Amino acid sequence: MVKMCSEGAQMEKKPDGKKEGRTDKPKVDPNIDGGWAWMVVLSSFLVHLLVMGSQMALGILNMEWLEEFNQSRGLTAWVSSLTMGITLIVGPFIGLFINTCGCRKTAMIGGFLTSLGWVLSAFATNVHFLFFTFGVMAGIGSGMVYLPAVVIVGQYFQKRRALAQGLSTTGTGFGTFLITVLLKYLCAEFGWRNAMIIQGAVTLNLCVCGALMRPLESRMQCSAETTRDHQNMKEASLLDTDTVKPNNVLHDGEDGEFRTDNGTSWTKEDTSNEIVIKDISRLGILKSLTRMTVSVRSGFWTWYSSYFGAASLFTNKVFVAFVLWALLAYCSFVIPFIHLPEIVELYGMSEQNNIFPLTSIIAIVHIFGKIILGFLGDLSCVSAWNVFIASNFTLGICILILPLMQVYAALAVVCALIGFSSGYFSLMPVVTEDLVGIKQLANAYGIIICANGISALLGPPFAGWIFDITHKYDYSFYVCGLLYMLGIICLLLEPCLQPKEKNREKPVENREV
C-alpha cells in the first residue's frame, strides 16, 4: 500500500518535472519550414502584388496626370520616381521599426499609410500635392510593408529559404499584370480620381497581410501571459488576507466589518477587492510602460550598433562590396524598361512588338526565373552565392549586347534571358542573410534596398543624360552594362575580402529560433 502511494505521488510529480524541462530546453518552433510559414509566404506574395505590382503599373496613372495637370513629362514622372525610390530608400529606418515593434505592427502601420496616400491623392489639385501624398506618404508606407515582408520569410525558413523568397517575390510579376488591367478599367469607367480611391481601399488589405506576419515567439508569449495571470492571482490572494488602511483609521467591527472614524463601514471582501483592482491596474500599466521602454531602447541600440557601433555592418568588407554592387546594378536593370520601346521603334519592329510586347516577355519569364533560381539556391550541391553571381553575369552581358540584336527573334531571346536572370532578386535576401546572419537581416537588407532606391532614382536621369550627349539609345545600354559588370567585379572580390580564419557561416548555424 505504501509502495502504491509513493508511486502515485511520483506520477503526480512527473508533469511538473516535464514542465520544468520544457522551460529549460529551447524548443524549435514547428512552424519553421512548414505550417504557418506558408501563410507567411502567402502574405509576402500579396504584399509584393499590391505594393510592387502597383508601382510597376503607375504608367497608367502617369498618363492621366499629364492630361489633368498639363505639366511637363519630367515633373510628372517624379511622382512615380519618388514613391518607388522612397519605398527602397527608407529601408534603414524601417529596420529600426522592425527591431522595436516587430514585422507585424510595422507592416500594419505601413499598410494603413499606403492606403491613406492613395485615397488622399484622389483629391490632388496639382502635381506638387501628389509629391507629398503619393510620393512621400504612400512611399514610406510601402517601405514599411515591403521590408517586413522580406524579413519575415527569412525568419520562418531554414532549408527552403530561396524557394520561399522566390515564390513570395513572384507577386511583383502577377501584380504588374493584374493591377495594370484593373487601373485601366477603373480609369476608363470611373475616372482616375475614383480609381485611386478604389485602389486605396484594395491596398488596405496590406493591413491583413501584416496581421498574418505572426512572430515566431507568439506561442511563448501566451504561456508567459498565463504565468503573469497566475502571479496576479497570487498577489490578489495575498492582499486578500491583509488589512489595508485608507486615509482614515480602520477599526475592527463585528461580523468581519471595518469602520472609520467618520462612521463609514466596509466588509473585508469589499475592501480587498477594491484595493486588488486598483493595485493590479497600476501594476499592469507599469509593466506595459516598462516593457515598451525596454523594447524601444533595445531596438534602437540594436539598430544603432548595426550602423555606427563597433560591430557595424560596414566593418564587413564583403557586405560593403555587396552594397557597391547594389548601387551600380539597379540603375542598369531599369534601362531596358525605359529605352526598349525606342530600340523597337528604331529597328522597325513596332508591329511585331504590338502582337507580343518584349516587356511582357521579360515580365513573364521573370516570374519563372525567380522560382527556378530560388529552387537552385536551396540545393545542397549548389551555392546560392554562385547562382547569384552567374545570374548577374548573364544579365550584364544581355544588357551589353541588346542594342546589337536587330532581328525581333534575337531581341526576344535576349529579353527572355534578361527576365530569367533578373530572377536573382529572390536570392538577394538569402545571400544577405548568409553574409550577416539572421539577427542583422532587417538592418542589412534595409541598406541594400536603400542602395537600390538611390540607384533607381539616379539611373533614368543618367541614361537620359547619356542620350542627350550622344543622341543614341545604344550608348545608354553600353555604359550601364559596363557599370553592371563593374558591380559584378565587386562581388567577385568576395574570396579576397573574406577573413582567412573564418569560413562563411551556414544559414542554419547563424539562426537563432
Side-chain angles (χ1 to χ4, degrees):
M1 186 72 179
V2 175
K3 187 177 181 181
M4 289 177 67
C5 291
S6 63
E7 286 178 357
Q10 287 176 2
M11 288 175 69
E12 286 180 0
K13 289 180 180 180
K14 257 185 180 180
D16 293 333
K18 286 180 182 178
K19 191 172 183 180
E20 290 178 2
R22 280 199 299 271
T23 54
D24 292 336
K25 294 180 181 179
K27 201 171 184 180
V28 177
D29 196 300
N31 288 312
I32 295 292
D33 287 315
W36 193 260
W38 295 111
M39 289 300 295
V40 170
V41 171
L42 175 63
S43 170
S44 182
F45 172 85
L46 293 174
V47 167
H48 282 83
L49 188 149
L50 291 171
V51 173
M52 308 308 289
S54 295
Q55 292 183 359
M56 293 295 182
L58 287 179
I60 306 297
L61 290 173
N62 192 63
M63 292 188 294
E64 299 288 340
W65 294 332
L66 282 169
E67 185 178 348
E68 176 79 16
F69 301 117
N70 294 319
Q71 296 290 338
S72 66
R73 291 180 178 272
L75 183 65
T76 308
W78 268 105
V79 179
S80 304
S81 297
L82 270 177
T83 188
M84 295 175 73
I86 289 177
T87 297
L88 302 176
I89 290 173
V90 296
F93 303 100
I94 305 306
L96 173 61
F97 278 90
I98 293 175
N99 289 333
T100 305
C101 307
C103 291
R104 173 185 271 178
K105 292 178 182 176
T106 303
M108 292 179 73
I109 295 170
F112 177 76
L113 274 179
T114 307
S115 176
L116 186 63
W118 276 88
V119 173
L120 291 179
S121 298
F123 303 96
T125 55
N126 51 56
V127 174
H128 300 91
F129 189 95
L130 290 172
F131 286 167
F132 175 74
T133 57
F134 198 78
V136 178
M137 183 181 291
I140 293 174
S142 298
M144 292 183 72
V145 184
Y146 173 68
L147 184 58
V150 175
V151 172
I152 195 70
V153 174
Q155 292 176 354
Y156 265 88
F157 283 87
Q158 290 181 355
K159 297 177 182 177
R160 291 173 283 189
R161 294 175 302 150
L163 178 61
Q165 294 285 6
L167 289 171
S168 63
T169 53
T170 55
T172 303
F174 286 105
T176 302
F177 285 112
L178 295 175
I179 296 179
T180 299
V181 174
L182 177 64
L183 286 178
K184 277 184 179 178
Y185 172 77
L186 293 176
C187 288
E189 292 293 325
F190 306 105
W192 71 270
R193 294 184 185 275
N194 291 325
M196 294 198 76
I197 293 175
I198 296 171
Q199 182 62 26
V202 173
T203 305
L204 197 59
N205 285 291
L206 289 171
C207 296
V208 180
C209 297
L212 293 175
M213 298 178 190
R214 188 173 68 188
L216 285 170
E217 65 273 15
S218 59
R219 294 182 301 110
M220 298 300 295
Q221 289 173 355
C222 293
S223 62
E225 287 173 3
T226 306
T227 306
R228 284 198 296 270
D229 292 341
H230 176 70
Q231 290 175 349
N232 290 337
M233 290 172 65
K234 191 175 181 181
E235 289 168 2
S237 64
L238 289 172
L239 286 168
D240 199 33
T241 60
D242 297 329
T243 303
V244 184
K245 297 182 179 181
N247 294 331
N248 297 307
V249 180
L250 288 178
H251 303 285
D252 289 330
E254 296 179 358
D255 300 328
E257 288 188 351
F258 298 105
R259 297 182 287 101
T260 62
D261 294 334
N262 60 10
T264 309
S265 63
W266 299 273
T267 63
K268 181 179 178 181
E269 184 180 354
D270 292 338
T271 306
S272 60
N273 286 343
E274 183 181 354
I275 294 168
V276 165
I277 291 170
K278 288 182 179 179
D279 205 40
I280 289 177
S281 62
R282 289 171 185 170
L283 187 63
I285 293 170
L286 284 174
K287 282 184 177 180
S288 300
L289 289 174
T290 304
R291 199 179 301 117
M292 189 183 301
T293 304
V294 169
S295 64
V296 169
R297 185 181 297 174
S298 63
F300 174 78
W301 283 112
T302 302
W303 175 82
Y304 180 85
S305 61
S306 298
Y307 298 118
F308 309 108
S312 168
L313 289 166
F314 295 104
T315 59
N316 186 335
K317 295 179 182 178
V318 181
F319 179 73
V320 173
F322 196 50
V323 174
L324 290 176
W325 164 84
L327 277 171
L328 294 169
Y330 205 78
C331 68
S332 305
F333 171 72
V334 299
I335 295 304
F337 293 95
I338 296 172
H339 288 316
L340 191 57
E342 284 84 358
I343 292 288
V344 168
E345 189 175 348
L346 180 66
Y347 295 152
M349 303 177 189
S350 299
E351 192 173 328
Q352 294 168 300
N353 188 62
N354 289 334
I355 298 173
F356 208 131
L358 294 172
T359 51
S360 297
I361 294 175
I362 295 176
I364 293 170
V365 180
H366 181 69
I367 294 172
F368 293 100
K370 283 183 174 181
I371 298 173
I372 294 172
L373 291 178
F375 174 77
L376 292 175
D378 282 331
L379 295 177
S380 57
C381 57
V382 179
S383 168
W385 180 262
N386 292 337
V387 175
F388 184 76
I389 291 179
S391 57
N392 270 278
F393 184 77
T394 304
L395 181 57
I397 294 296
C398 288
I399 291 174
L400 278 171
I401 66 173
L402 188 142
L404 303 176
M405 303 294 109
Q406 300 186 10
V407 180
Y408 181 82
L411 204 55
V413 171
V414 173
C415 287
L417 286 173
I418 289 175
F420 183 84
S421 56
S422 62
Y424 72 79
F425 283 107
S426 65
L427 296 174
M428 280 178 60
V430 178
V431 172
T432 305
E433 184 181 335
D434 288 345
L435 290 176
V436 302
I438 187 65
K439 285 185 177 180
Q440 297 279 23
L441 177 60
N443 295 324
Y445 200 71
I447 295 172
I448 296 298
I449 64 174
C450 177
N452 283 339
I454 294 171
S455 185
L457 277 178
L458 298 180
F462 178 66
W465 176 70
I466 293 174
F467 174 78
D468 290 339
I469 294 175
T470 62
H471 298 288
K472 289 185 178 180
Y473 295 107
D474 301 17
Y475 290 101
S476 297
F477 287 88
Y478 298 147
V479 173
C480 292
L482 289 173
L483 287 175
Y484 203 113
M485 300 305 290
L486 183 61
I488 294 173
I489 292 173
C490 294
L491 297 180
L492 293 174
L493 293 175
E494 182 261 347
C496 305
L497 299 175
Q498 192 81 335
K500 294 181 180 179
E501 66 274 8
K502 290 184 181 180
N503 294 322
R504 187 181 300 118
E505 298 176 358
K506 294 182 180 179
V508 177
E509 296 172 351
N510 278 337
R511 186 180 306 271
E512 291 184 12
V513 180

